[in-house]
Amino acid sequence: MENALENASQTAKATENLPLIISVDDHTVEPATVWQDRLPKKYLDTGPRVVRAPLKEMTFLGGRFKPVMGEPGDDGPIGDWWVYEDLRRPLTRLDTAVGFSRDEIKLEVITYEQMRPGSYDVPSRLADMDVNHVQSAVCFPTFPRFCGQTFTEAADRELGLLCVRAYNDWTVEEWCGPQARGRLIPLALIPLWDAELAAAEVRRNAARGVRAVAFSEIPPHLGLPSVHTDYWDPFLAACDETGTVVAMHIGSSSRMPSTSADAPPAVGSTITFANCCFSMVDWLMSGKFERFPNLKVMYAEGQIGWIPYILERADVVWEENRGWGGVADKVHRPPSELFADHVYGCFFDDAFGLRNLDSIGVGNVLYETDYPHSDSTWPKSREVGEAQMGHLAPDVVERIVRGNAIGLLGLTPDGLWSPR
């Protein structure tokens, strides 16, 4: 009985004062003026801009999102649309769902006035972070998509590069600028179509204190070379040299996992981790971690419960099949060891993963809240964390909730971002 009381007391102590959260995966909905304020005048009519227009039709099946914008005067719900070259992309309720009940969250177009201001306004975001026990947050983009695919797929490469740089300038100077007080942590984009330009952009942003860059979980899905080639080496060398973390978000290959063209979104939503799983095996078997010993990668919103088995299987394959498996000459350590030194899994709701933390590694796990998406635990991320981490020791909770992020992202000891 005495031991039981002692254990219960330790559990309560671990979570009664959950450390302030550093979320490594939140999102920003870019204000309408980001590119119009920064592009040369000759590009204002073709660069990203927002128009208000009706929706003609919209589907999201088999992992594919297909909206069709109507003409002025057409019937249909009105929303704000990003227009860029031939692209027509609406803002939707899935872009910013916090503040609505789960049953109210539908695939529908919305305007800026219909979303929570914290989605795009810095003071409002900080207030929502306060409500949610969040100190600091890394934010992935919305219109550029999770690693800048929007600009990669555009026809005008010169304009695309200007758009990437404009986004990064806005992120560093405004979104993560003085009014954020170090609580918003910048995440840079790169021109994926040119590894040398990508390396230059990594170094440009690293010089002003940016320590994370968005990348695709499976580049070949974007028509780009895989990590098994040497195409990405200039980019990876820049990340290795500057301590820039390669951050890959689910969906950053422009293809969410699904099973068939007519599968409802619930199928893909259940298996969102799958691309992260495939991607991690790619990296572990690529030899890149041995060539670039300081390289770190993280998987945003991929959860962590699947990791132990994949590491077990990868070690078996490396041990028993590397002779004919094509990796003997480039992967010289067990994949699980490479994982421990180079890979971070991110979660917001994964009780199973936390019960198997010893098989993942306390130092390889990061916490997130996914604000303002429909999966977000806002405004109860603290309660969710306390419920799921109640069995862990206080020092372990501290590392997961903030300590690991501080070390990985080069934050101050207080958990804030400081520009150079």
Side-chain angles (χ1 to χ4, degrees):
M1 180 65 175
E2 184 175 334
N3 288 339
L5 288 174
E6 182 179 350
N7 291 337
S9 176
Q10 290 174 348
T11 295
K13 185 178 179 181
T15 57
E16 65 182 358
N17 294 306
L18 189 79
L20 281 171
I21 297 165
I22 297 178
S23 174
V24 295
D25 171 30
D26 286 0
H27 300 266
T28 178
V29 177
E30 299 78 22
T33 58
V34 168
W35 289 276
Q36 291 293 295
D37 285 350
R38 290 168 179 78
L39 292 176
K41 288 185 178 179
K42 69 175 182 177
Y43 286 120
L44 296 183
D45 291 337
T46 52
R49 58 205 182 278
V50 172
V51 301
R52 188 157 290 183
L55 172 71
K56 186 174 182 180
E57 62 178 299
M58 182 162 58
T59 59
F60 190 9
L61 292 172
R64 297 289 186 178
F65 175 48
K66 295 181 180 179
V68 179
M69 188 171 78
E71 297 295 330
D74 286 352
D75 292 333
I78 301 296
D80 284 335
W81 296 69
W82 281 102
V83 176
Y84 170 46
E85 292 190 340
D86 295 331
L87 177 65
R88 304 292 183 268
R89 196 281 194 196
L91 295 176
T92 75
R93 178 55 62 203
L94 298 187
D95 293 325
T96 171
V98 292
F100 291 79
S101 72
R102 298 297 188 192
D103 291 338
E104 291 177 317
I105 300 171
K106 298 178 174 61
L107 184 60
E108 59 183 353
V109 295
I110 60 171
T111 65
Y112 278 93
E113 290 80 6
Q114 293 172 307
M115 70 176 71
R116 193 170 183 88
S119 302
Y120 59 86
D121 176 71
V122 172
S124 299
R125 172 60 67 91
L126 297 184
D128 280 353
M129 290 164 63
D130 289 340
V131 169
N132 201 32
H133 198 62
V134 173
Q135 178 189 29
S136 308
V138 175
C139 296
F140 283 81
T142 295
F143 170 69
R145 309 217 298 282
F146 295 145
C147 67
Q149 305 100 296
T150 295
F151 306 127
T152 300
E153 295 167 359
D156 189 330
R157 293 295 197 217
E158 181 180 354
L159 173 57
L161 180 58
L162 290 172
C163 286
V164 167
R165 289 174 174 168
Y167 177 86
N168 290 336
D169 290 344
W170 169 79
T171 296
V172 173
E173 297 165 7
E174 291 195 30
W175 183 250
C176 303
Q179 65 177 338
R181 306 194 303 276
R183 298 181 61 188
L184 295 173
I185 305 163
L187 173 73
L189 299 179
I190 56 171
L192 291 162
W193 60 89
D194 187 314
E196 294 286 354
L197 288 176
E201 191 63 12
V202 166
R203 292 189 172 96
R204 182 176 83 93
N205 288 290
R208 47 185 177 174
V210 179
R211 288 284 300 273
V213 62
F215 191 66
S216 174
E217 58 199 353
I218 307 179
H221 285 348
L222 304 180
L224 298 168
S226 78
V227 297
H228 300 289
T229 70
D230 60 5
Y231 171 83
W232 298 107
D233 286 2
F235 162 66
L236 298 179
C239 293
D240 180 80
E241 293 164 11
T242 60
T244 299
V245 179
V246 178
M248 293 170 282
H249 195 285
I250 60 169
S252 57
S253 54
S254 295
R255 187 183 304 179
M256 292 298 290
S258 192
T259 56
S260 62
D262 58 349
V267 172
S269 185
T270 303
I271 56 175
T272 53
F273 71 91
N275 282 348
C276 296
C277 174
F278 301 156
S279 173
M280 191 179 81
V281 175
D282 251 353
W283 282 93
L284 293 175
M285 298 298 187
S286 70
K288 298 302 183 187
F289 293 138
E290 302 204 32
R291 291 193 57 197
F292 302 103
N294 299 314
L295 187 63
K296 309 286 187 182
V297 305
M298 59 170 265
Y299 288 97
E301 206 172 330
Q303 312 300 340
I304 60 174
W306 53 273
I307 291 175
Y309 171 71
I310 292 301
L311 293 180
E312 176 183 291
R313 177 59 183 165
D315 278 358
V316 169
V317 170
W318 178 82
E319 183 66 37
E320 298 184 359
N321 301 333
R322 63 178 179 266
W324 62 264
V327 296
D329 61 338
K330 58 184 178 180
V331 181
H332 305 124
R333 298 166 57 199
S336 60
E337 291 186 12
L338 296 174
F339 172 89
D341 290 342
H342 298 276
V343 184
Y344 294 78
C346 311
F347 78 100
F348 56 80
D349 185 9
D350 193 337
F352 180 83
L354 289 170
R355 291 196 300 271
N356 293 275
L357 196 57
D358 289 346
S359 299
I360 301 169
V362 172
N364 298 85
V365 175
L366 305 168
Y367 199 45
E368 59 183 64
T369 76
D370 198 30
Y371 179 106
H373 285 181
S374 60
D375 271 339
S376 178
T377 52
W378 186 92
K380 297 183 178 180
S381 298
R382 178 178 186 170
E383 291 87 341
V384 171
E386 289 174 343
Q388 294 194 350
M389 291 184 251
H391 64 291
L392 300 175
D395 62 318
V396 172
V397 174
E398 193 279 337
R399 290 187 67 183
I400 293 172
V401 170
R402 57 184 291 109
N404 291 337
I406 289 173
L408 180 65
L409 298 171
L411 306 180
T412 69
D414 293 331
L416 301 174
W417 177 67
S418 178
R420 292 179 184 170

